[in-house]
């Protein structure tokens, strides 16, 4: 043993930004011709990215002099508590919405016995019947397990049912949430929001159920419809402020009202943005509390994070296990007090015992084996996370002020301002999804052509609603797969691979995977003369052919092969790559289009099916 401290990497010089820039230029200029190398300014421009909120993500972040602050105190950016043990991790809250009361009652008990710590019930005509609330909770100890309830149809009836169960069970320390959120209900249904009952329920909770929160600010309807991170924050703040004003008008001061509000927020597979968004919400809500003269220690926003329904895919649903894991991790690191991980087969129907167990264990493993719950604000001090938190908070506060200036959240929702903001984001996200700048693994990237459908009980039909329409990011690609699957015979695009495998291998793989996104079969040929290629295309009965090879081979063979295919009656010939690689002035007369990275995949696949004759 030695008394000399061990200096890891102590013999290495500390790199500077200039050192980093030198290495960046080495990589980006490696294959560029002499005299056309990028400058560092050009390189940085290429490395920067922007989010759908138009937030700039820099390729490198460095230390700033902004104070980091502490967990558990104003402005609560770093969390509402100081974590000291696994017991201070988070509440694992499972969602129950299966209308089969006996099944739900069994699953609630199984969840609580095997890792979950609270219960979330969704009631309605397409979920648990309000009259069955007491039945599904019959074996729950109300003083031990918090229970939250929600409804998109009749929140007051749901709240009454839960309150009656607590009273009937003689609960002395009931905890949970009554789920009243008039604006979220209006967002889903399109009906005019009615805040009338909320103040009465808050007063009753304060008097009779002191550990129960009556109100939820549920951001999920906006996330489901496609809202951006900035808008989700702005809508949450504006909704919370609307409720504070309504309660204050009823004689309930903000200092009491703050403890009656919990936020239900989304968590998705963009882990850093999720982490920063949760941190930003706490900071912004604390600012609202400061302006409302709420005592400093009571200004923290309690957040119930739910893995985003919008990111769940129907196709290759097993990848949802990874998405759920990443989102759960992000929610935990972001400081959510409560987390719900949706089952991987949610898009297929009602989850069964197996998928529910996997969702529950995702959290249990993260909390107990990964030790995330032991650390306060694990991302705190990360220069990237701190800058992203600041950027989100700044833009969200501006959006919140704009909503307030226009009359507040009730006006924004009923006037269509909320829908307009979401539509603008959705248009940008749709473009990025179509070009795969926002890839969806297993759907728009790396599709699994031979996957077996998941077996799940269908969900009950939901009543027609006229509010914000929910959508999943993968739906447009799933529609393409459905269109191809319904065709008889199965539609295909022929890949005419020119030259040797070393010439066409990369582009054949890329193009084949791209066609798989739409569920199109891809028969192919390797090498051969134009006549031999035509013979194989004719044998396959192909109406659409894509040439695959290198620029060198294209220059020697592409035009001749394309001419032969056209002469044989093939209506459509594309090239994998760029037409300019043929070095021919005749290219536009015989080659109809290009397949390349960054193209609009949805538009291409839709057009390909049109050309093949696949019914819409």
């Amino acid at each position: 043993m030695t008394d000399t401290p061990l200096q890891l990497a102590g013999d290495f010089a500390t790199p500077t930004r200039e050192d980093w820039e030198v290495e960046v230029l080495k990589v980006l200029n490696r294959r560029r011709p002499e005299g056309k190398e990028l400058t560092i300014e050009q390189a940085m421009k290429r490395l920067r990215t922007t989010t759908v909120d138009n937030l700039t993500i820099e390729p490198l972040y460095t230390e700033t002099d902004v104070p980091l602050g502490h967990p558990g105190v104003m402005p609560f950016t770093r969390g509402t508590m100081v974590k000291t043990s696994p017991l201070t991790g988070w509440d694992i809250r499972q969602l129950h919405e299966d209308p089969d009361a006996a099944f739900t009652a069994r699953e609630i008990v199984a969840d609580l016995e095997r890792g979950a710590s609270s219960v979330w019930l969704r009631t309605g005509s397409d979920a648990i019947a309000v009259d069955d609330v007491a039945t599904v909770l019959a074996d729950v100890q109300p003083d031990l397990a918090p229970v939250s309830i929600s409804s998109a149809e009749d929140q007051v009836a749901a709240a009454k049912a839960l309150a009656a169960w607590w009273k009937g069970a003689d609960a002395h320390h009931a905890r949970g949430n009554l789920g009243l959120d008039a604006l979220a209900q209006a967002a889903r249904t399109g009906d005019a929001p009615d805040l009338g009952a909320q103040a009465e329920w808050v007063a009753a909770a304060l008097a009779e159920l002191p550990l129960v929160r009556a109100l939820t600010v549920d951001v999920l309807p906006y996330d489901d419809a496609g809202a951006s991170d900035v808008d989700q924050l702005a809508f949450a703040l504006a909704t919370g402020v609307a409720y504070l004003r309504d309660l204050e008008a009823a004689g309930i001061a903000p200092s009491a009202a703050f403890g009656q509000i919990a936020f239900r927020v989304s968590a998705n597979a963009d882990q850093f943005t999720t982490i920063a968004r949760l941190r930003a919400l706490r900071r912004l809500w604390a600012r609202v509390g400061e302006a409302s003269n709420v005592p400093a220690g009571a200004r923290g926003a309690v957040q119930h994070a739910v893995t985003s329904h919008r990111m769940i895919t129907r196709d290759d649903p097993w990848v949802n296990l990874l998405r759920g894991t990443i989102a759960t991790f992000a929610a935990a690191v972001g400081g959510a007090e409560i987390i719900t991980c949706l089952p991987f087969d949610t898009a297929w129907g009602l989850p069964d015992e197996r998928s529910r167990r996997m969702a529950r264990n995702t959290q249990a493993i993260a909390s107990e084996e990964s030790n995330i719950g032991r650390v306060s604000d694990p991302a705190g001090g990360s220069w990237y996370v701190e800058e992203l938190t600041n950027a989100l908070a700044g833009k969200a506060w501006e959006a919140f002020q704009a909503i307030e200036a226009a009359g507040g959240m009730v006006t924004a929702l009923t006037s269509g301002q909320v829908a307009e903001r979401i539509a603008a984001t959705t248009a940008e996200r749709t473009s990025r999804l179509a070009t795969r700048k926002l890839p969806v693994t297993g759907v728009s990237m790396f599709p699994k052509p031979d996957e077996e459908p998941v077996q799940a009980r269908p969900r009950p039909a939901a009543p027609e609603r006229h509010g914000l329409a929910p959508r999943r990011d993968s739906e447009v690609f799933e529609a393409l797969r459905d269109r191809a699957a319904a065709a008889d015979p199965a539609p295909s695009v022929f890949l005419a691979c020119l030259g040797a495998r070393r010439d066409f291998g990369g582009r054949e793989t890329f193009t084949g995977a791209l066609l798989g996104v739409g569920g199109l079969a891809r028969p192919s040929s390797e090498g051969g003369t134009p006549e031999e290629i035509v013979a194989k295309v004719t044998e396959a009965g192909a109406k659409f052919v894509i040439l695959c090879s290198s620029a060198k081979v294209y220059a020697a063979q592409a035009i001749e092969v394309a001419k032969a295919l056209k002469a044989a009656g093939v209506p459509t010939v594309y090239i994998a790559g760029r037409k300019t690689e043929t070095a021919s002035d005749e290219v536009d007369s015989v080659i109809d289009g290009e397949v390349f990275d960054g193209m609009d995949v949805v538009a291409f696949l839709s057009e390909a099916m049109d050309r093949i004759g696949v019914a819409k």
Side-chain angles (χ1 to χ4, degrees):
M1 295 292 291
T2 175
D3 294 331
T4 304
L6 180 63
Q7 300 264 338
L8 294 176
D11 295 332
F12 294 89
T14 302
T16 64
R17 183 183 179 90
E18 289 71 24
D19 295 331
W20 178 83
E21 291 176 352
V22 168
E23 298 303 317
V24 166
L25 291 176
K26 281 182 184 178
V27 173
L28 295 185
N29 287 326
R30 183 171 296 157
R31 296 183 179 179
R32 297 185 68 84
E34 186 176 353
K36 294 193 175 182
E37 295 89 351
L38 299 175
T39 65
I40 189 59
E41 290 77 16
Q42 293 170 324
M44 291 294 286
K45 185 176 180 180
R46 290 195 173 199
L47 293 174
R48 289 189 184 99
T49 58
T50 57
T51 70
V52 292
D53 280 313
N54 203 30
L55 293 175
T56 299
I57 306 299
E58 295 288 345
L60 179 69
Y61 288 86
T62 55
E63 188 174 10
T64 67
D65 57 1
V66 178
L68 183 58
H70 301 280
V73 296
M74 275 289 289
F76 297 102
T77 305
R78 305 197 62 197
T80 57
M81 67 178 74
V82 177
K83 296 181 179 180
T84 57
S85 74
L87 297 179
T88 56
W90 65 87
D91 176 355
I92 299 175
R93 179 167 294 177
Q94 286 281 84
L95 171 63
H96 296 269
E97 53 185 351
D98 195 313
D100 184 335
F103 174 83
T104 296
R106 289 195 304 271
E107 287 304 300
I108 288 175
V109 172
D111 282 344
L112 293 174
E113 287 178 344
R114 300 169 190 174
S117 48
S118 68
V119 178
W120 173 18
L121 304 179
R122 184 175 74 86
T123 64
S125 55
D126 61 334
I128 299 168
V130 170
D131 292 342
D132 287 336
V133 167
T135 300
V136 301
L137 294 174
D139 295 322
V140 176
Q141 295 295 319
D143 289 326
L144 298 179
V147 179
S148 175
I149 200 165
S150 64
S151 175
E153 297 173 17
D154 192 339
Q155 295 178 345
V156 172
K160 285 181 178 178
L162 180 56
W165 174 73
W166 273 323
K167 292 177 182 178
D170 196 26
H172 300 288
H173 304 287
R175 291 170 295 148
N177 194 297
L178 293 170
L180 294 162
D181 186 354
L183 285 169
Q185 180 170 327
R188 290 197 185 277
T189 63
D191 298 334
D194 180 8
L195 278 61
Q198 294 189 172
E200 179 183 348
W201 278 95
V202 167
L206 288 170
E208 302 172 28
L209 298 166
L211 301 180
V212 171
R213 294 174 187 257
L215 305 185
T216 299
V217 172
D218 189 352
V219 187
L220 300 189
Y222 311 110
D223 177 64
D224 289 348
S228 69
D229 294 287
V230 166
D231 281 346
Q232 288 183 54
L233 287 170
F235 298 156
L237 290 176
T239 299
V241 168
Y243 292 167
L244 290 177
R245 290 197 180 106
D246 179 65
L247 295 176
E248 190 168 31
I252 301 172
S255 57
F258 245 62
Q260 284 293 304
I261 295 174
F263 292 85
R264 185 175 294 131
V265 299
S266 68
N268 58 50
D270 187 341
Q271 63 179 353
F272 286 108
T273 305
T274 296
I275 292 167
R277 176 160 43 80
L278 269 61
R279 298 173 91 244
L281 178 56
R282 284 194 298 273
R283 179 188 301 178
L284 296 174
W285 189 239
R287 176 69 186 94
V288 171
E290 183 179 23
S292 303
N293 296 317
V294 174
R299 296 172 189 164
V302 172
Q303 297 183 73
H304 172 196
V306 183
T307 56
S308 175
H309 186 268
R310 182 162 52 81
M311 74 175 178
I312 290 177
T313 67
R314 182 201 67 186
D315 295 344
D316 203 357
W318 301 101
V319 182
N320 293 326
L321 292 169
L322 301 179
R323 296 185 184 99
T325 299
I326 295 170
T328 296
F329 171 83
V333 172
E337 290 83 359
I338 309 160
I339 301 176
T340 297
C341 180
L342 296 180
F344 78 92
D345 57 353
T346 293
W348 280 93
L350 291 168
D352 61 13
E353 186 277 334
R354 177 185 62 163
S355 59
R356 294 186 56 79
R357 181 181 73 248
M358 296 172 83
R360 180 181 67 239
N361 289 348
T362 296
Q363 292 202 63
I365 292 171
S367 177
E368 298 177 16
E369 296 188 21
S370 300
N371 293 317
I372 304 171
R374 296 174 181 263
V375 183
S376 297
D377 190 27
S382 159
W383 302 324
Y384 173 37
V385 171
E386 296 295 346
E387 288 291 335
L388 188 56
T389 301
N390 293 340
L392 281 171
K395 288 202 71 171
W397 190 258
E398 291 176 5
F400 161 66
Q401 289 180 314
I403 292 171
E404 287 293 288
M409 190 61 184
V410 174
T411 300
L413 188 60
T414 55
S415 68
Q417 181 184 350
V418 167
E420 289 173 6
R421 292 185 70 100
I422 292 175
T425 301
T426 300
E428 174 62 25
R429 184 182 291 111
T430 298
S431 173
R432 296 187 183 204
L433 287 166
T435 57
R436 302 194 291 186
K437 290 181 180 178
L438 285 178
V440 183
T441 303
V443 180
S444 69
M445 299 289 287
F446 311 112
K448 193 173 185 296
D450 57 347
E451 68 174 87
E452 292 292 329
V454 171
Q455 301 301 315
R457 287 185 295 121
R459 294 178 180 275
E464 186 177 3
R465 293 169 181 150
H466 303 284
L468 299 174
R471 67 185 72 207
R472 291 179 294 105
D473 289 343
S474 60
E475 284 179 355
V476 64
F477 298 102
E478 292 165 0
L480 290 170
R481 293 278 289 270
D482 290 344
R483 182 181 174 188
D488 186 18
S492 65
V493 172
F494 194 95
L495 302 183
C497 302
L498 311 181
R501 178 154 293 278
R502 64 176 178 273
D503 301 311
F504 63 73
R507 280 174 167 167
E508 178 200 29
T509 300
F510 172 84
T511 306
L514 187 148
L515 294 171
V517 169
L520 296 173
R522 45 268 192 204
S524 64
S525 63
E526 297 188 8
T529 65
E531 293 75 20
E532 290 170 337
I533 294 171
V534 167
K536 291 183 179 180
V537 169
T538 302
E539 181 183 359
K543 299 177 182 178
F544 197 124
V545 176
I546 301 177
L547 308 181
C548 299
S549 198
S550 64
K552 181 179 179 180
V553 175
Y554 283 152
Q557 300 182 28
I559 298 302
E560 185 179 0
V561 171
K563 284 182 176 180
L565 290 168
K566 289 287 188 176
V570 176
T572 305
V573 178
Y574 270 51
I575 187 171
R578 295 296 192 174
K579 291 182 180 182
T580 53
E581 296 179 68
T582 65
S584 172
D585 295 334
E586 300 178 84
V587 64
D588 289 331
S589 64
V590 291
I591 294 181
D592 303 292
E594 304 168 322
V595 175
F596 56 91
D597 188 25
M599 70 185 300
D600 187 325
V601 172
V602 174
F604 164 71
L605 291 172
S606 298
E607 182 183 359
M609 291 191 200
D610 290 343
R611 288 176 177 262
I612 295 169
V614 179
K616 292 185 178 179

